[in-house]
Amino acid sequence: MSARDDAAAAGPGKRKASPGSVRRAFQPWNDPAARPLVSFRNVAKRFGTVTAVDDLSLSLYPREFFALLGPSGCGKTTLMRMLAGFETPDAGEILLDGVDITKVPPHQRPVNMMFQSYALFPHLSVQANIAYGLKREGLPKPEIDRRVEEMLALVKLDGLGKRRPDQLSGGQRQRVALARSLAKRPKLLLLDEPMAALDRKLRESTQFELMDLQSELGLTFMVVTHDQDEAMTMADRMAVMSHGKLVQIGPPDVIYEAPANRYVAEFVGDINVIEGRVSAVAGDLVTLESPVAGTVELDEETLALKPGEAIFVGLRPEKISLSHDEPEQGVNKVAGEIWDIGYLGDFTMVQVMVGGDDGHLLKVALANRSRRIERPFAWEDKVWLSWDVEAGLVLPP
Amino acid sequence: MSARNAAARLGRLVVAVPYLWLLLFFLVPFGMVLRIALSDSATALPPYAPHFDGFSQLGEFLSGLDFENFRLLGDDELYWQSYLYSLRLAALTTLIALAIGYPLAYAMASVSRRAQGLLVVLVILPFWTSFLIRVYAWIGILRPDGLLDAALMGLGLTSEPLRLLNTEAAVLIGMVYSYLPFMVLPLFATLQKLDRSLLEAAADLGATPLKAFLTVTLPLSLPGILAGSALVFIPAVGEFVIPDLLGGPDTVMIGKVLWNEFFSNRDWPLASAVAIVLLIVLVLPLVLLQRARLARGEAA
């Protein structure tokens, strides 16, 4: 029984288990027998002198929720538009369910897209917008009406079918766009920045609804976003893109806790990067000397490091502890002075200057567990930072 | 609160300006024309009777007015046939201008922004020359052994002159040529505003390019089609210069009739009646259209 089936058995009223890292049993990308739904094979696309997508290969699996994350201009939108058929690759091929669709025009692809601008037809009612794709299929009218009602109920817009898009709120328009793109029951749904136009509260609830919908309908979703929270919340797997290449693909927790390189580590979440030189390697335990943080010990299983090698080490702010007294541990600690305190409600981001006034600023995240207004730390406090041996991670450049 | 009241008063004043303008330069002249239309032709200065001689003779003055001229417009078939002919020719002009203008505007809206600016200038460019001169130029092109005949015969496409000048075809050519920019510009404005992602959405949902055009582009450009058609049709109905210069004895458009009554026959009352009926013929469909649109807007 998969995690998804557990979710279905949870019954109504209760929030179903979400995909993402929770769905441990769902890992088709690790199963050599699994057949991908979509395969990009050495796909490339240039616009003039700009390479938007550079010799890229990627497979998506049925029922997967896949997120493409990257800064604007990294090629993620071009990749999605090639899948929808709005751009033709200069090289390589795209397979959908084993069929080469590289040259198939958009209107013949069993793929639907939800546009960032929603692209609702302003002259048509909500019903007619949702029915648009079904009419093109030539379905009989009663069947179309039934499907439209079903879709309206699915996105909780019952009774609003007669309205026009300009008579709806932003959140409602987003739901209509979603219903329209789902109406044809596509093998693959593409979502281009689906939450970009929603405010924060609405975004959060919509993310969960989208995940429920995806697992309920058993569809494959590919979402393009520059918002890492969105990608991490929703995706089974996410890919971080940069300059037309995929830098890392993996479940959100792997991307965050074990980033492939410095780019991914700095793009996804906050991280302190410190330089150091390896002084000893004993099994998994790597010891290094850092001009910023002194002697650092870290657990590193995968990389073959040699003494004398210069490396970068990443430390997530929430994995560093802050104290006024010197910690008892012999290594993985450094003294500094508080330069800045940013109170964010759920946690406080403290910036500590280590190694004197011209040293290095390190970020420390403190969870605000109590409601006390008096904070234990203040500006210009002399403090100690410390962290566990598991906290540090080696970052290839 | 008095500041707000003052602002409201100022607002009403600003709104009053265009109404005042309409009153002064449309309603008052219209009243004068209507009064002439209800008078009789007379050998006098101005050439109509009765004259308004002060309020003491108001009853006498009013009893001198009648609808005789309007009755004549209905009785003499020359007039209503000219109206019908003008409406037919204007409708034909509008259709041809739409058929040529739509693809033109569509192509203009599809090219890059910079090229669009240039193309708009090219569409407006003919206005830099006098309208009259441009119509005269068509005489040179269309007359027997003119530029068109010379070109066609030179290419061996025709063996004898087409004799286009002084025909209905010549009037149509001249009107389509003259009014085409009024069709192209509003169409271009609506097509240019059209969100391209709507066409992508249509394609994504399974619409062929033709179907996407018919179900998305065409309905969304309807305001442009209506505006362009009105801008071509309305002046085309009353057109006088083009049929006078390019048309023949058969092309009796109502504008020409009006000119003849006014200047050749010096029958001001009849000419005024012709003008008023023309105005009603043109304004009535516009009012109905506007009402239908308002009704539809409320229903939506």
Side-chain angles (χ1 to χ4, degrees), chain A residues 3-72:
Chain A
R4 199 186 296 269
D5 296 327
D6 293 339
K14 248 167 114 184
R15 254 208 54 73
K16 295 178 205 83
S18 39
S21 50
V22 183
R23 253 165 60 177
R24 276 279 170 236
F26 182 73
Q27 293 189 342
W29 49 89
N30 288 333
D31 177 6
R35 227 184 86 173
L37 178 67
V38 178
S39 296
F40 288 89
R41 289 191 186 156
N42 307 100
V43 171
K45 176 77 186 174
R46 330 177 114 262
F47 294 106
T49 55
V50 181
T51 304
V53 173
D54 189 3
D55 192 28
L56 184 147
S57 297
L58 170 67
S59 290
L60 309 188
Y61 294 86
R63 309 180 70 154
E64 185 176 5
F65 200 132
F66 191 90
L68 260 179
L69 184 67
S72 38

Side-chain angles (χ1 to χ4, degrees), chain B residues 18-81:
Chain B
Y19 282 103
L20 208 67
W21 182 272
L22 271 179
L23 182 76
L24 273 179
F25 297 105
F26 179 75
L27 273 184
V28 170
F30 179 79
M32 286 154 75
V33 172
L34 182 64
R35 169 242 193 287
I36 297 173
L38 297 175
S39 309
D40 294 320
S41 185
T43 324
L45 248 176
Y48 53 84
H51 288 272
F52 183 62
D53 299 323
F55 287 99
S56 51
Q57 278 97 30
L58 186 65
E60 206 178 308
F61 168 70
L62 286 178
S63 65
L65 300 177
D66 55 44
F67 287 93
E68 193 189 345
N69 294 313
F70 291 94
R71 225 170 290 129
L72 182 67
L73 290 187
D75 290 344
D76 193 333
E77 68 175 35
L78 165 79
Y79 297 104
W80 60 262
Q81 280 194 344

Side-chain angles (χ1 to χ4, degrees), chain A residues 197-212:
Chain A
L198 303 182
D199 59 61
R200 195 184 153 149
K201 269 272 171 285
L202 197 56
R203 192 178 307 179
E204 215 164 83
S205 60
T206 311
Q207 281 169 5
F208 287 117
E209 281 176 22
L210 208 57
M211 285 150 65
D212 286 348

Side-chain angles (χ1 to χ4, degrees), chain A residues 290-340:
Chain A
S290 160
V292 175
T295 306
V296 177
E297 280 183 357
L298 52 91
D299 228 353
E300 191 59 78
E301 298 164 8
T302 48
L303 286 164
L305 294 168
K306 290 181 203 66
E309 220 173 312
I311 57 170
F312 287 104
V313 172
L315 277 172
R316 296 284 185 195
E318 76 280 5
K319 294 187 173 60
I320 302 178
S321 309
L322 204 58
S323 60
H324 282 114
D325 306 319
E326 183 171 356
E328 286 172 9
Q329 64 198 65
V331 295
N332 290 353
K333 62 180 180 182
V334 60
E337 184 185 332
I338 293 182
W339 271 43
D340 211 347

Side-chain angles (χ1 to χ4, degrees), chain A residues 322 336-339 350-354 360-362 364 383 385:
Chain A
L322 204 58
E337 184 185 332
I338 293 182
W339 271 43
V350 183
Q351 308 243 31
V352 181
M353 178 60 84
V354 299
H360 207 79
L361 269 181
L362 295 181
V364 182
V383 290
L385 313 185

